[in-house]
């Protein structure tokens, strides 16, 4: 089980990313627009730098949905490899069977 503070911090980061997503997308669009001038690009770059650090989606960590484990996360299921194995053994994941040969 991950620390509650780490899970809470990650959830707060998700909120900040969602809050600034539109503004961030607009500034990024200005950076790559071929018709914008150098001054506009510079203003967009400075605007991106002034956004909070946690507004970047890269800073959000993918965690296990049940216990918050940060590593070994299977994004298709939203759980960690350890939890996946336990749930598969108990038959709690539909369509997933233990292989044997």
């Amino acid at each position: 089980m991950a620390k509650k503070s780490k899970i809470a911090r990650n959830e707060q980061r998700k909120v900040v990313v969602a809050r600034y997503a539109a503004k961030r997308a607009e500034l990024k669009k200005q950076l790559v627009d071929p018709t914008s001038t150098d001054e506009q690009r510079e203003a967009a770059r400075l605007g991106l730098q002034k956004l909070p650090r946690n507004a970047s989606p890269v800073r959000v960590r993918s965690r296990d949905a049940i216990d918050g484990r940060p590593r070994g996360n299977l994004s298709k299921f939203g759980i960690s490899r350890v939890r996946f194995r336990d749930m598969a053994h108990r038959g709690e994941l539909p369509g997933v069977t233990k292989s044997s040969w």
Side-chain angles (χ1 to χ4, degrees):
M1 177 85 185
K3 289 170 59 174
K4 301 278 187 193
S5 60
K6 294 288 189 180
I7 295 170
R9 185 182 304 159
N10 200 46
E11 293 303 315
Q12 185 60 36
R13 280 186 181 146
K14 288 179 186 178
V15 170
V16 173
V17 166
R19 186 183 316 146
Y20 287 99
K23 186 173 185 178
R24 197 175 160 77
E26 185 179 324
L27 289 170
K28 293 264 244 193
K29 186 176 161 187
Q30 286 178 0
L31 277 176
V32 297
D33 187 18
T35 61
S36 63
T37 65
D38 287 339
E39 291 81 20
Q40 290 173 332
R41 283 195 185 102
E42 183 66 19
R45 186 183 62 78
L46 289 173
L48 273 174
Q49 284 182 350
K50 288 184 180 182
L51 290 179
R53 181 172 284 172
N54 286 336
S56 174
V58 173
R59 292 184 54 100
V60 175
R61 179 84 187 206
S62 59
R63 291 183 171 270
D64 187 326
I66 299 168
D67 67 357
R69 188 179 205 283
R71 296 178 185 253
N73 192 24
L74 303 174
S75 58
K76 183 176 180 180
F77 296 94
I79 56 177
S80 69
R81 60 180 178 80
V82 178
R83 175 99 30 206
F84 178 83
R85 189 166 187 268
D86 276 347
M87 290 176 78
H89 280 303
R90 288 182 293 196
E92 295 175 0
L93 299 174
V96 176
T97 57
K98 185 177 184 305
S99 141
S100 63
W101 59 92

